[in-house]
Amino acid sequence: MITIAQRLLGPTNSVPTNTQATNSLTVREFFVDIPTQTSGLLEQIIPMYLYQQYADDSDLQAFVSTFNTLAQGYLSWFTDFYQATPLGVYTSANISGALLDWTATGIYNLPRPIIPVGSAQGEWDSTDWNTIAWGGLGGQLIGVSDDIYKRFLTWHLYRGDGFQMSAQWVKRRIARFAYGINGSDFDIGFLQYVNLSISAGRISATIPNTEPGKYLKALLQNNLMVVPFQVSISVNLL
């Protein structure tokens, strides 16, 4: 076991004991043993300490003790939580709600998608100016559930299919979104329910009319899903 004192001072036979003071510092808590790292994570904080001239102040001692307790609590929470479920593993049931948003946005820079829903008036330049009241189309914005959000993340983050786009690559991407619950991988048997047609850089996928399928169609229609720049992808529901 290596102590902080040994790291700072090097091997020596004159390292002060826990009741001695050096350079006006209270070393009772400073020269603590560094815990053995079995998990690769720091499990114990390096505690805060008082200068010797303040060591007899009970209020300051109470402050230092409370600070160390709170700091250890934060570290223990992160350590225990990370060992159970790393924050980056967004497919876990432990990652949900605001924590899922914080993790996906902070780590992957992929915020929860917002889908605009409303009635379209027609093709570009097919309606005269100033003929519709402001906000008259009555559209709305819809956020997606945690399940759909995790599927959205997996669409962008999954690397198991490789980086070379092909018909099979697109087919597996679509099947994974449609059948991978909470962003998990899918049973390969579900590939039979995804049919592709390709024409002049346009890929049209036909899948069963399920709730995830509806969201996939809406996300692609609103350009919220990143797709290979060489093609456009659309979804038809049976």
Side-chain angles (χ1 to χ4, degrees):
M1 189 74 71
I2 302 175
T3 66
I4 294 178
Q6 291 170 328
R7 286 195 172 184
L8 294 176
L9 304 177
T12 177
N13 295 325
S14 59
V15 175
T17 65
N18 285 345
T19 59
Q20 293 175 325
T22 302
N23 296 330
S24 299
L25 299 180
T26 299
V27 297
R28 181 175 60 254
E29 293 182 338
F30 184 68
F31 294 128
V32 294
D33 285 341
I34 298 174
T36 302
Q37 298 302 300
T38 57
S39 63
L41 300 172
L42 184 65
E43 298 175 356
Q44 181 179 331
I45 65 167
I46 299 175
M48 178 183 179
Y49 61 91
L50 282 175
Y51 283 95
Q52 180 63 30
Q53 57 265 40
Y54 304 117
D56 60 348
D57 190 316
S58 60
D59 291 333
L60 290 180
Q61 290 286 11
F63 172 81
V64 169
S65 176
T66 302
F67 180 90
N68 288 334
T69 299
L70 290 173
Q72 182 64 49
Y74 280 117
L75 178 62
S76 297
W77 184 88
F78 277 108
T79 300
D80 295 342
F81 188 87
Y82 191 89
Q83 288 176 335
T85 303
L87 290 177
V89 185
Y90 58 86
T91 54
S92 168
N94 293 332
I95 309 294
S96 62
L99 180 59
L100 174 61
D101 287 86
W102 179 74
T103 298
T105 303
I107 297 179
Y108 302 115
N109 194 30
L110 290 171
R112 189 181 296 259
I114 304 296
I115 302 175
V117 178
S119 58
Q121 189 67 19
E123 296 296 328
W124 177 257
D125 204 24
S126 63
T127 302
D128 293 333
W129 291 100
N130 297 323
T131 58
I132 301 175
W134 179 258
L137 290 178
Q140 59 179 324
L141 301 176
I142 297 179
V144 301
S145 65
D146 284 354
D147 176 35
I148 298 300
Y149 188 17
K150 291 180 178 183
R151 296 173 193 240
F152 170 85
L153 293 173
T154 297
W155 173 281
H156 294 91
L157 300 174
Y158 190 85
R159 296 295 181 263
D161 297 331
F163 296 92
Q164 186 66 39
M165 188 200 69
S166 63
Q168 190 71 5
W169 187 95
V170 174
K171 191 172 185 178
R172 293 179 68 89
R173 221 67 172 186
I174 292 173
R176 190 171 293 107
F177 189 101
Y179 300 108
I181 299 174
N182 287 320
S184 60
D185 213 344
F186 68 103
D187 189 297
I188 196 170
F190 285 112
L191 282 175
Q192 63 181 308
Y193 301 115
V194 180
N195 298 307
L196 298 183
S197 62
I198 303 174
S199 175
R202 297 178 180 272
I203 299 177
S204 178
T206 302
I207 60 176
N209 188 5
T210 62
E211 194 70 13
K214 294 176 181 177
Y215 276 101
L216 177 59
K217 180 178 181 178
L219 289 166
L220 287 169
Q221 283 180 337
N222 288 280
N223 297 318
L224 296 173
M225 305 283 273
V226 174
V227 300
F229 71 91
Q230 304 96 324
V231 298
S232 63
I233 301 176
S234 61
V235 167
N236 300 313
L237 303 175
L238 291 176

